[in-house]
Amino acid sequence: MAGFDELIALGESADVSGWDFGWLAGRATEERPPWGYARLLGQWLGRAQASLDIQTGGGEVLAEAPAFPPLAVATESWPPNLARATALLHPRGVAVVSDPDQPPLPFADGAFDLVTSRHPATIWWTEIARVLRPGGHYVAQHVGPGSAFELIEFFLGPQPEGRRAREPEDEAAAARAAGLVVEDLRTARLRIEIHDVAAVVYLLRKVIWWVPGFTVEAYRDRLRDLHELIERDGPFVAHSTRHLIVARRD
């Protein structure tokens, strides 16, 4: 079995660009939401004429779609992800646009009949409503409240304010305030098991808002504590929360 220093080195050297978490195979597991977002996304794209995927990451989830509308666009802000998404999606006919995740979206009013997003870091409801044409839909899977906070609080201590953010009913209210009609809102709480500290380093390097400013040097003592905890008690268990939201512009 690999020791602490070897596991730390593995986590530090892993490529964390894109949103493919395949590197974690055998090191961490997470339950999937029951609604199957990638499958639903493919169904909605198959019925659309013009689609926009916001904060597409490396394009990995969008690329699972079996077909795209005649006009398909994706946005992303992080340069390494832009390069990955372009390589993955351009051959499928999807234009990838650099966007800073700040209003306004670089598109005309009513440009799309479908806007989608998986795990957006920011949600600008008035912009989503603006670029949707009447009758168009926003279909997305969002990260919910308190997601992975067992891990976050292991490093940062109690975060009561953070646990209250991203409440699905609050987001639904914000969507309605922007002029959208919420047609569906589903939630799920999902089990995460982390089997070694290499997975922790990888995750905290990749999902940078969990422990802002994370470096191995700054958190080495706490990483060693977690390594010893896993060695003694088995996988570190946390929980993610997700919600599916479907909203229509009248």
Side-chain angles (χ1 to χ4, degrees), residues 7 11 20-32 148 151 190-204 206-207 210 226 230 234-240 242:
L7 291 169
D20 178 1
F21 287 79
W23 187 88
L24 290 172
R27 299 187 181 278
T29 60
E30 181 182 3
E31 289 182 293
R32 312 314 301 167
L151 181 63
L190 309 159
R191 182 181 175 92
I192 299 170
E193 291 188 359
I194 300 173
H195 295 271
D196 67 31
V197 76
V200 174
V201 173
Y202 174 87
L203 284 167
L204 297 184
K206 191 179 189 79
V207 192
W210 282 2
L226 186 52
I230 292 171
F236 183 90
V237 176
H239 296 84
S240 63
R242 302 285 184 262

Side-chain angles (χ1 to χ4, degrees), residues 78-155:
W78 194 40
N81 279 350
L82 275 168
R84 291 174 67 97
T86 297
L88 193 59
L89 295 172
H90 271 200
R92 303 285 310 279
V94 181
V96 179
V97 176
S98 177
D99 177 72
D101 297 339
Q102 294 285 338
L105 286 166
F107 307 106
D109 297 0
F112 303 98
D113 60 301
L114 177 65
V115 176
T116 61
S117 193
R118 179 181 179 272
H119 304 175
T122 52
I123 305 154
W124 305 103
W125 289 108
T126 55
E127 280 299 287
I128 291 166
R130 181 184 66 79
V131 301
L132 277 172
R133 62 188 58 163
H137 283 83
Y138 176 68
V139 180
Q141 180 175 293
H142 291 184
V143 175
S147 198
F149 263 62
E150 297 95 337
L151 181 63
I152 292 167
E153 291 180 338
F154 187 90
F155 289 90

Side-chain angles (χ1 to χ4, degrees), residues 37 44 46 54 66 91 131-133 135 142 160 164 167-168 183 223 241:
Y37 178 73
W44 280 93
I54 297 172
V131 301
L132 277 172
R133 62 188 58 163
H142 291 184
R164 285 194 287 269
E167 285 288 346
E183 295 183 339
L223 287 164
T241 58

